[in-house]
Amino acid sequence: MKAAVLGSPIEHSRSPILHNAGYRELGMDGWEYTRIRCTAEDLPGIVGGAEESFVGFSVTMPSKFAALEFADDVTERAQQIGSANTLVRTGDGWRADNTDCDGVTGALGELMGDTPIRRALVVGGGGTARPALWALAQAGVEEVTVINRSDRSAELAPLLEPSGVQVRFLGFDADLSTASIEADVVVSTVPSAALDGHESALAHAPVLDVIYDPWPTRLTTAAAANGYLTVGGHVMLAHQAFGQFEQFTGRPAPRDAMRQALEDSLR
């Protein structure tokens, strides 16, 4: 049986390390997880033409919106988030799901422990911000501030409104230091280069930075220097992969073995 991660570029993806480690740990010798270069335009042909041995696909940018559109069935959370990072073959075609929100939830759990999150600051308004906002709403966050270079309020506000979360949208020209100080946690969903010159202003709370290569990022280094805990994208990557593994294989993910393989690859 086979599974693969789809994206462009794709050479950097560490998803094969996680999934193949899980197969080894469970003695699933006939299973293989690979990388396939895939743009949004390529996805229907690649997934639709996949041989029967392919049971599922992990989907990265730029194909997460295309995955949602392609699927024959869509989970409720993927529909609400508006994108999919998981495609699973079923008897009726392909089911789309979004486990990125599990990644955010798991990473925040490791970062914050039992400390409640009332106010969150999310940097970015793209494909990774959407599951982050959804996960924060599900966690009971009361207020969210979104910082983005362009106004994405019309697209992102509906993710939070059903949960009654208060949301405000700011540009990078706002008082970022005050916004960070007022937050219980900062979640950055953008490439490190997008924060150039703003890292110190945003580093006044615990930080989840979705970047894991290179690591640590300038944002997490600044936050750590201020005495705050940080977690990186590798933690989010691991937690989102566990659910994918279980949907692809029908077996509980060997989380410790998968996480250890990922950690070893980053050393």
Side-chain angles (χ1 to χ4, degrees):
M1 309 302 289
K2 298 178 183 177
V5 57
L6 308 178
S8 180
I10 198 59
E11 295 77 17
H12 70 287
S13 175
R14 284 184 164 83
S15 291
I17 294 170
L18 283 156
H19 288 263
N20 285 321
Y23 302 156
R24 289 193 301 272
E25 180 69 14
L26 297 182
M28 301 169 67
D29 298 333
W31 286 72
E32 179 187 16
Y33 187 104
T34 60
R35 301 179 183 89
I36 299 175
R37 185 183 180 280
C38 174
T39 65
E41 294 74 21
D42 295 332
L43 185 139
I46 290 175
V47 178
E51 57 189 69
E52 289 293 324
S53 58
F54 276 95
V55 297
F57 293 96
S58 307
V59 184
T60 66
M61 294 304 288
S63 301
K64 292 184 178 182
F65 301 110
L68 190 73
E69 294 175 3
F70 171 81
D72 302 288
D73 184 30
V74 178
T75 64
E76 182 177 357
R77 64 182 182 179
Q79 190 69 57
Q80 292 173 351
I81 292 168
S83 67
N85 76 326
T86 306
L87 289 169
V88 183
R89 191 191 292 273
T90 70
D92 299 317
W94 291 92
R95 182 183 70 243
D97 189 23
N98 194 312
T99 67
D100 282 333
C101 52
D102 295 334
V104 174
T105 299
L108 287 175
E110 293 194 25
L111 177 65
M112 303 298 291
D114 295 329
T115 303
I117 303 173
R118 292 183 54 252
R119 298 177 176 175
L121 175 61
V122 175
V123 185
T128 307
R130 299 182 69 87
L133 291 169
W134 189 89
L136 287 166
Q138 297 301 306
V141 171
E142 298 172 7
E143 301 176 18
V144 174
T145 298
V146 178
I147 297 173
N148 199 51
R149 296 191 184 280
S150 59
D151 183 3
R152 306 292 289 274
S153 56
E155 302 168 45
L156 298 178
L159 282 169
L160 301 171
E161 289 171 353
S163 301
V165 179
Q166 297 182 25
V167 57
R168 64 172 177 165
F169 295 87
L170 303 176
F172 276 90
D173 57 347
D175 183 353
L176 302 186
S177 292
T178 297
S180 176
I181 291 169
E182 292 175 346
D184 297 317
V185 67
V186 172
V187 181
S188 177
T189 69
V190 299
S192 295
L195 296 181
D196 280 350
H198 299 291
E199 294 89 351
S200 295
L202 292 167
H204 300 290
V207 171
L208 162 58
D209 193 330
V210 303
I211 302 301
Y212 60 82
D213 188 14
W215 179 261
T217 64
R218 290 191 296 272
L219 173 59
T220 57
T221 298
N226 288 336
Y228 295 104
L229 296 176
T230 68
V231 297
H234 62 288
V235 179
M236 178 179 166
L237 179 67
H239 281 280
Q240 65 83 31
F242 299 148
Q244 287 185 336
F245 184 96
E246 292 172 355
Q247 291 189 54
F248 294 166
T249 68
R251 302 183 63 174
R255 299 186 174 210
D256 291 343
M258 294 171 68
R259 180 71 173 269
Q260 188 61 56
L262 178 63
E263 299 282 354
D264 289 346
S265 76
L266 296 170
R267 293 194 177 108

